[in-house]
Amino acid sequence: DSGVTQTPKHLITATGQRVTLRCSPRSGDLSVYWYQQSLDQGLQFLIQYYNGEERAKGNILERFSAQQFPDLHSELNLSSLELGDSALYFCASSPYALAGVGDTQYFGPGTRLTVL
Amino acid sequence: GQQVMQIPQYQHVQEGEDFTTYCNSSTTLSNIQWYKQRPGGHPVFLIQLVKSGEVKKQKRLTFQFGEAKKNSSLHITATQTTDVGTYFCAGRYGGSQGNLIFGKGTKLSVKP
């Protein structure tokens, strides 16, 4: 158990809909990262938040957005869903804003999103 | 864009055989991390390599970072069924502010 929690575990929805995925980082970690894992694309970094502020952006679509709240939990919002958005969405947390010698990312169990 | 190529995509071994997965980048990496993801599980951090030519060992696992910091390898000696899973490398470019770029992983299966 990494200490990172994600809800829900599974989500099934239809094309065009909007969903929200939730992540609670490990106690004391200030950074939250979101990743998308699909069969053909592997693990894709989407976005990072540190202490409530957006820190880095990866391959995140404009239909997707995220935020980190004062209690440090984060939400990833996916809208106008398409079939291709079906994937595992992981969040990870770390204590650091910047990578350093001790940087480690602790992954949550993931949310499996299925778009029908 | 920046890419980390990882080979092979799949590896099937008999228990007791060795296993190696390789990662390559066309440009220099700041550091590289390795993760293991068990079937149905989430990626778990194994190690980070930072220095040119660095070699680190964890029991039967040996991690290497190339002299030019463009490639890395993970070698498992005498595989066991508990080694089953997908091994990912993740390279960081652009110093401490760069994002992690994951390879597509090597899926290891071990036949008892």
Side-chain angles (χ1 to χ4, degrees):
Chain A
D1 183 6
S2 65
V4 178
T5 59
Q6 286 187 251
T7 55
K9 199 166 183 178
H10 301 277
L11 198 47
I12 302 173
T13 188
T15 53
Q17 294 298 305
R18 174 190 168 93
V19 297
T20 298
L21 313 183
R22 183 187 166 105
C23 168
S24 292
R26 289 187 329 151
S27 176
D29 284 358
L30 298 177
S31 269
V32 170
Y33 305 77
W34 285 98
Y35 291 88
Q36 180 190 58
Q37 186 175 40
S38 54
L39 281 173
D40 56 342
Q41 290 295 322
L43 265 168
Q44 298 280 316
F45 167 69
L46 296 177
I47 198 163
Q48 178 203 356
Y49 277 81
Y50 176 77
N51 205 19
E53 306 249 334
E54 184 184 300
R55 184 71 186 80
K57 239 176 180 176
N59 300 322
I60 189 164
L61 299 171
E62 283 192 17
R63 300 183 285 109
F64 296 0
S65 65
Q67 57 186 132
Q68 187 178 28
F69 294 87
D71 67 350
L72 300 176
H73 91 269
S74 178
E75 291 181 357
L76 178 67
N77 300 297
L78 315 176
S79 61
S80 302
L81 285 168
E82 301 175 0
L83 296 176
D85 297 328
S86 295
L88 256 177
Y89 291 84
F90 287 106
C91 87
S93 75
S94 100
Y96 307 103
L98 301 176
V101 174
D103 178 46
T104 299
Q105 293 187 19
Y106 298 88
F107 282 75
T111 293
R112 182 170 293 282
L113 173 66
T114 303
V115 182
L116 300 175
Chain B
Q2 287 148 345
Q3 259 189 319
V4 174
M5 304 302 292
Q6 189 172 356
I7 57 168
Q9 195 173 357
Y10 301 96
Q11 185 80 57
H12 309 282
V13 300
Q14 195 76 34
E15 190 172 21
E17 292 181 339
D18 292 356
F19 159 76
T20 306
T21 172
Y22 301 90
C23 277
N24 290 289
S25 168
S26 58
T27 53
T28 304
L29 296 163
S30 301
N31 58 57
I32 194 158
Q33 298 182 355
W34 285 90
Y35 291 78
K36 176 183 178 182
Q37 185 175 17
R38 291 184 191 273
H42 58 271
V44 175
F45 175 82
L46 294 177
I47 209 158
Q48 176 169 281
L49 304 172
V50 179
K51 298 177 187 173
S52 166
E54 191 169 11
V55 178
K56 286 188 177 179
K57 291 193 176 188
Q58 289 179 352
K59 297 183 182 177
R60 294 179 294 103
L61 277 60
T62 302
F63 303 84
Q64 292 191 343
F65 201 10
E67 293 289 342
K69 297 181 74 172
K70 289 182 178 181
N71 55 69
S72 181
S73 65
L74 157 59
H75 179 82
I76 302 178
T77 305
T79 54
Q80 299 174 358
T81 53
T82 52
D83 296 325
V84 162
T86 301
Y87 293 84
F88 292 95
C89 62
R92 195 181 302 278
Y93 299 88
S96 61
Q97 300 195 34
N99 299 327
L100 273 181
I101 308 293
F102 279 79
K104 294 203 172 181
T106 296
K107 189 171 182 178
L108 172 66
S109 61
V110 179
K111 194 172 178 183

